[in-house]
Amino acid sequence: MEFFQPSSLREALELRAAHPDAVPIAGGTDLMVELNFGRRRPATILDISRLSELQQIGREGDRVVLGPGVPYARIIRELPDQLALVQAARTVGSPQIRNRGTVGGNLGTASPAGDALPALAVYDAEVVLASTSGSRRLSWREFLVGPKRNALAPDELIVSVEWTAPRGPGSFSKVGTRNAMVIAIAGMGLQLDESSRSLRLAMGSVGPTILRAPEAEAFGAGVLDEAGAWSNPGAAVPATALARFGELAAAAARPIDDVRGTAAYRRHACAVLARRALAWALDDRRLRAA
Ligand SMILES: Cc1cc2nc3c(=O)[nH]c(=O)nc-3n(C[C@H](O)[C@H](O)[C@H](O)COP(=O)(O)OP(=O)(O)OC[C@H]3O[C@@H](n4cnc5c(N)ncnc54)[C@H](O)[C@@H]3O)c2cc1C
């Protein structure tokens, strides 16, 4: 096996152009599992784990620019206001995995169970890709094209993930067979956006890729409108509306039966997670306003 260890992004992109079959490795927490189980045996590996250009966290006004090589442990420490992503990062694996694993790797693997991905979807994040011939910017939706499939070309690397920091509460929650070190049976990201008086809901592990729930989103925003809750966080939102929000989330899921759970259980989990996530967001707003 050939192994390249570039010391700059430019060198990495040149190597990528010259060896399009080379598989990039960042934290290695997905790739090494594949190698160890003999599921993959790439002829060439491109180690991008030492590239400082991919390990920056930047804020440009209200834009967040996250290097794909930033490990989850740093996201938890350094982006505390991006709560949906922080909560997702906290649920990834164990401390060891969070020290190595990266959002770039989560995007690269493009599993529907990738925990960072629903958070990126509720931020409407963009994925920036670069090659020696330039760069392009894709929405998370354009990038994640199917189960374990993404839009990365053989000569490209993910060079940043960017979004506008939302104003309002957000969360990530998941259901698994135990409380930690678990692949999600269902994962839920929710983000309220006070500026546009809208909310965004994204689900993982309940479809071929990450799914948003547009009907639930419109219904949820409308419920806050009717209750006057956008301008008055103390306004009561009826429990029946929260339950309906959950039902609409479940209706947007496209789950399958697999070894981790049945489709019916996953739908039920979506309803419960979405209802709880909205209730938490409303509580959060009430507490902040009190
Ligand atoms: C014990 C264990 C527990 C885990 N628990 C969780 C969990 O709870 N939740 C979860 O979501 N995941 C979990 N994972 C999976 C894994 O940790 C995550 O998917 C992590 O985000 C992968 O990041 P990485 O940097 O280690 O990726 P790598 O293994 O280095 O790479 C993964 C893929 O992404 C590609 N890639 C990486 N960076 C780039 C880039 N900049 N440009 C282009 N391609 C790139 C690689 O070529 C490869 O195909 C777990 C893994 C293990 C071993």
Side-chain angles (χ1 to χ4, degrees), residues 9 16 22-34 40 46 48-49 54 67-72 88-94 97-98 100-111 113-117 128-129 143 150 152-153 156-160 172 174 178 180-184:
L9 177 59
R16 191 92 164 112
V23 177
I25 187 165
T29 59
D30 274 326
L31 191 61
M32 289 310 296
V33 174
E34 298 275 289
R40 262 175 109 172
L46 179 65
I48 56 170
S49 68
L54 304 184
V70 174
Y72 294 109
R90 281 200 201 119
T91 76
V92 174
S94 59
I97 298 296
R98 292 194 286 275
R100 292 293 306 174
T102 66
V103 168
N106 221 222
L107 283 163
T109 298
S111 160
D115 286 328
L117 306 180
V128 182
L129 308 174
F143 182 79
N150 62 43
L152 195 73
E156 287 178 321
L157 287 173
I158 303 165
V159 292
S160 73
F172 173 81
K174 79 183 187 189
R178 57 185 183 186
M181 281 285 284
V182 72
I183 301 178

Side-chain angles (χ1 to χ4, degrees), residues 187-205:
M188 185 73 57
L190 175 115
Q191 183 63 54
L192 260 64
D193 186 350
E194 307 279 353
S195 319
S196 58
R197 296 194 163 182
S198 62
L199 68 80
R200 301 189 287 267
L201 191 72
M203 305 179 289
S205 281

Side-chain angles (χ1 to χ4, degrees), residues 197-278:
R197 296 194 163 182
S198 62
L199 68 80
R200 301 189 287 267
L201 191 72
M203 305 179 289
S205 281
V206 295
T209 184
I210 306 305
L211 301 173
R212 286 271 293 267
E215 280 188 41
E217 292 178 354
F219 176 81
V223 163
L224 266 74
D225 245 350
E226 274 166 36
W230 286 115
S231 41
N232 171 19
V237 171
T240 48
L242 295 181
R244 181 69 188 140
F245 178 71
E247 284 167 16
L248 289 171
R254 286 154 53 200
I256 54 166
D257 294 329
D258 69 11
V259 286
R260 294 201 299 279
T262 62
Y265 179 70
R266 287 186 151 104
R267 258 190 219 288
H268 174 71
C270 285
V272 174
L273 290 174
R275 173 168 51 76
R276 283 186 192 158
L278 184 52

